[in-house]
């Protein structure tokens, strides 16, 4: 970090948000420029080998980012990978032309990777062979440190005093060739990521939260890939309107047909058929193509062949025997929704209310979001089936059993013990 950046970071971390005096003209915030210009996109094995060697020989943490084509293409694959490391500069890699980046991942093994909102990029990086053993998540660090805005642009501006270009985050990154303004935007995303990391590390250390952050980062880096979602069709937007099992079968058939088409064409499912159209067809149960074409989402600019494809899916659902129709809802493995607690178990509902209030107060004291202090699901589970004894050891064991990190157990256990004990006593 330069002296100017160091000064900007220190002053912004100390600021209380007060306005400058009336007679002082606020200094303009400079627009960030790439220090090394826009590097060429790496799209062949020989150039990739040179990048791997350069980054392996570099020093310090490596900034990593990835761009996807969400809303344009099927799935969440990476269409551009950006890296920056001291001694190696910035690299932009095309993972379509170079789909196996495991060599780069191995070269950076043991190096701390700096990402912003790491859980968003790690799945697509894992697909191309890039898996960090150590990481620092600047977004999560900002949350733990109590920053009200934790987007990358807001963090760079507030902490380092530079403005990042905006406007290309939601573009179609599968476009080839990538326009120069997009590449500039992509390069800037990793330009000051390590500088931001260094400033946030100092602030977390000042607040006594650095060890907490390290535990969070280790948990992200060591987490296994998520299990495939069961019955993903149930997450269709507007699904709450669909109540009959036959209608649910129509949603399932249309969703699965859409998914196959989207995967074959490598296009976002929403561009094939909208969720609203799926729900409309499920509620209407159209008898034929003509009736289907009259529904919102089907008639406008949709060809006969497409309409027949969707009607065939509706017909398959209508012809299913009752035994093969989906059941309403999904098997619940945890506590019921909190809104049902008062009726199902008023005592548990009282425990949850007390625990939520205690966690909220603690999160405010620690200046961080409640969900980063402890997940709401963990609190619900402990309150629904509390330990037989509401003592510190039992509550701590319950929290750890649900995956809470040691720092979370240490902070949350005392307030949960008080909340659970108070409610238990009031019920005697």
């Amino acid at each position: 970090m330069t002296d100017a950046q160091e000064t900007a970071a220190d002053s912004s971390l100390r600021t209380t948000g007060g306005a400058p005096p009336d007679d002082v003209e606020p200094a303009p915030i400079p627009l960030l420029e790439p220090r090394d210009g826009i590097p060429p996109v790496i799209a062949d094995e020989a150039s990739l080998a040179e990048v791997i060697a350069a980054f392996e020989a570099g020093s310090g943490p490596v900034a990593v980012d990835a761009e996807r084509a969400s809303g344009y293409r099927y799935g969440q694959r990476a269409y551009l990978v950006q890296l920056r490391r001291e001694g190696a500069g910035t690299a932009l890699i095309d993972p379509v032309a170079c789909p196996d980046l495991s060599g780069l991942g191995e070269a950076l093994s043991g190096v701390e990777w700096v990402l912003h909102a790491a859980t968003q990029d790690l799945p697509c990086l894992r697909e191309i062979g890039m898996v960090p053993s150590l990481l620092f998540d600047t977004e999560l660090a900002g949350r733990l440190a109590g920053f009200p805005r934790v987007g990358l642009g807001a963090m760079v501006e507030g902490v380092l005093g530079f403005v990042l270009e905006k406007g290309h985050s939601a573009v179609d990154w599968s476009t080839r060739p990538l326009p120069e303004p997009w590449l500039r935007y992509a390069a800037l995303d990793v330009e000051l990521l390590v500088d931001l990391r260094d400033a946030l590390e100092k602030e977390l250390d000042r607040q006594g939260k650095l060890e907490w952050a390290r535990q969070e980062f280790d948990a992200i880096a060591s987490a296994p890939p998520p299990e495939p979602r069961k019955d993903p069709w149930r997450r269709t937007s507007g699904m709450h309107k669909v109540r009959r099992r036959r209608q649910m079968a129509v949603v399932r058939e249309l969703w699965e047909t859409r998914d196959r088409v989207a995967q074959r064409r490598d296009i976002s499912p929403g561009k094939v058929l909208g969720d609203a159209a799926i729900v409309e067809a499920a509620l209407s149960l159209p008898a034929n193509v003509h009736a289907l074409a009259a529904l919102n989402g089907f008639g406008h600019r949709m060809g006969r062949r497409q309409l027949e494809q969707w009607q065939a899916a509706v017909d398959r659902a209508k012809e299913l025997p009752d035994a093969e129709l989906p059941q309403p809802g999904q098997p619940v493995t945890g506590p019921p929704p909190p809104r049902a607690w008062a009726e199902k178990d008023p005592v548990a509902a009282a425990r949850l209310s007390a625990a939520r209030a205690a966690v909220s107060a603690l999160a405010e004291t620690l200046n961080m979001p409640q969900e980063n202090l402890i997940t709401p699901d963990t609190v619900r589970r402990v309150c629904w089936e509390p330990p037989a004894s509401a003592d510190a050891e039992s509550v701590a064991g319950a929290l750890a059993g649900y995956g809470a990190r040691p720092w979370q157990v240490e902070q949350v256990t005392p307030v949960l013990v008080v909340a659970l004990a108070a409610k238990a006593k009031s019920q005697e």
Side-chain angles (χ1 to χ4, degrees):
M1 188 185 297
T2 66
D3 291 342
Q5 291 164 1
E6 187 85 49
T7 301
D10 288 345
S11 63
S12 62
L13 290 170
R14 289 194 301 267
T15 186
T16 59
D22 293 339
D23 59 343
V24 176
E25 187 73 25
I29 300 177
L31 186 67
L32 185 62
E33 297 286 346
R35 282 172 274 190
D36 307 322
I38 304 174
V41 177
I42 303 302
D44 62 79
E45 294 301 322
S47 300
L48 177 61
E50 293 178 5
V51 166
I52 292 174
F55 274 79
E56 187 172 24
S59 60
V62 57
V64 182
D65 190 26
E67 305 294 348
R68 300 177 298 280
S70 303
Y72 297 94
R73 295 290 183 173
Y74 184 87
Q76 294 295 315
R77 68 171 295 181
Y79 283 94
L80 187 71
V81 175
Q82 310 100 281
L83 305 98
R84 184 175 179 85
R85 192 182 190 195
E86 186 69 30
T90 298
L92 304 178
I93 303 174
D94 180 356
V96 178
C98 301
D100 182 6
L101 298 186
S102 57
L104 179 58
E106 291 168 6
L108 296 172
S109 177
V111 175
E112 183 186 77
W113 296 22
V114 184
L115 296 98
H116 192 81
T119 54
Q120 294 183 18
D121 286 341
L122 288 178
C124 69
L125 290 170
R126 185 182 287 114
E127 286 181 0
I128 53 180
M130 296 185 65
V131 183
S133 54
L134 297 169
L135 68 81
F136 189 106
D137 186 333
T138 50
E139 186 204 45
L140 181 51
R143 292 181 183 275
L144 295 175
F147 283 83
R149 297 168 59 220
V150 293
L152 181 58
M155 295 286 284
V156 167
E157 183 174 337
V159 176
L160 300 178
F162 286 92
V163 174
L164 283 178
E165 282 191 13
K166 301 176 182 178
H168 300 303
S169 59
V171 299
D172 182 2
W173 287 96
S174 67
T175 300
R176 293 295 183 273
L178 286 165
E180 184 172 313
W182 298 12
L183 296 175
R184 172 190 170 84
Y185 167 91
L188 290 174
D189 269 359
V190 292
E191 183 76 15
L192 292 180
L193 209 49
V194 173
D195 303 75
L196 180 60
R197 172 239 180 268
D198 293 344
L200 289 172
E201 183 180 60
K202 288 182 180 179
E203 179 62 11
L204 287 167
D205 190 37
R206 186 188 70 79
Q207 295 185 22
K209 299 176 180 176
L210 184 55
E211 176 55 30
W212 303 357
R214 286 173 176 157
Q215 290 180 26
E216 292 299 300
F217 302 155
D218 289 345
I220 294 173
S222 61
E227 294 288 331
R229 194 183 299 277
K230 185 179 180 182
D231 291 347
W233 59 269
R234 292 184 183 271
R235 295 179 63 85
T236 302
S237 180
M239 189 68 191
H240 62 282
K241 303 175 186 175
V242 182
R243 303 191 180 279
R244 291 161 47 195
R245 293 174 63 199
R246 185 71 59 185
Q247 294 172 331
M248 292 179 185
V250 172
V251 172
R252 182 176 63 186
E253 287 293 333
L254 285 172
W255 190 97
E256 291 177 350
T257 300
R258 178 183 71 174
D259 196 63
R260 288 192 295 270
V261 172
Q263 188 170 14
R264 185 179 71 247
R265 294 171 55 191
D266 189 17
I267 189 173
S268 170
K271 289 186 175 297
V272 175
L273 186 67
D275 281 8
I278 290 178
V279 171
E280 183 88 2
L283 296 176
S284 301
L285 296 174
N288 50 47
V289 169
H290 180 73
L292 181 69
L295 300 179
N296 289 333
F298 288 96
H300 184 56
R301 291 186 300 180
M302 187 173 286
R304 176 81 184 187
R305 186 174 177 182
Q306 288 177 292
L307 287 169
E308 290 175 347
Q309 170 184 255
W310 303 126
Q311 184 62 43
V314 172
D315 291 342
R316 285 194 300 272
K318 291 165 69 174
E319 293 165 3
L320 283 175
D322 289 351
E324 295 180 23
L325 295 177
Q327 295 296 326
Q330 293 174 285
V332 177
T333 56
R339 63 180 178 273
W341 285 35
E343 181 179 344
K344 290 178 178 292
D345 189 338
V347 176
R351 282 195 298 265
L352 181 62
S353 178
R356 281 174 161 175
V359 169
S360 177
L362 178 58
E364 188 172 346
T365 300
L366 295 174
N367 191 28
M368 69 171 65
Q370 293 181 47
E371 63 270 20
N372 293 116
L373 173 59
I374 191 76
T375 66
D377 181 67
T378 298
V379 175
R380 285 194 294 268
R381 289 175 184 271
V382 171
C383 290
W384 185 251
E385 295 183 355
S389 175
D391 58 70
E393 183 178 356
S394 301
V395 172
L399 290 172
Y402 291 126
R405 262 70 73 190
W407 77 269
Q408 295 176 314
V409 173
E410 180 183 1
Q411 293 297 317
V412 174
T413 294
V415 299
L416 281 189
V417 167
V418 172
L420 295 176
K423 283 300 163 186
K425 188 173 182 180
S426 68
Q427 298 299 327
E428 291 177 357

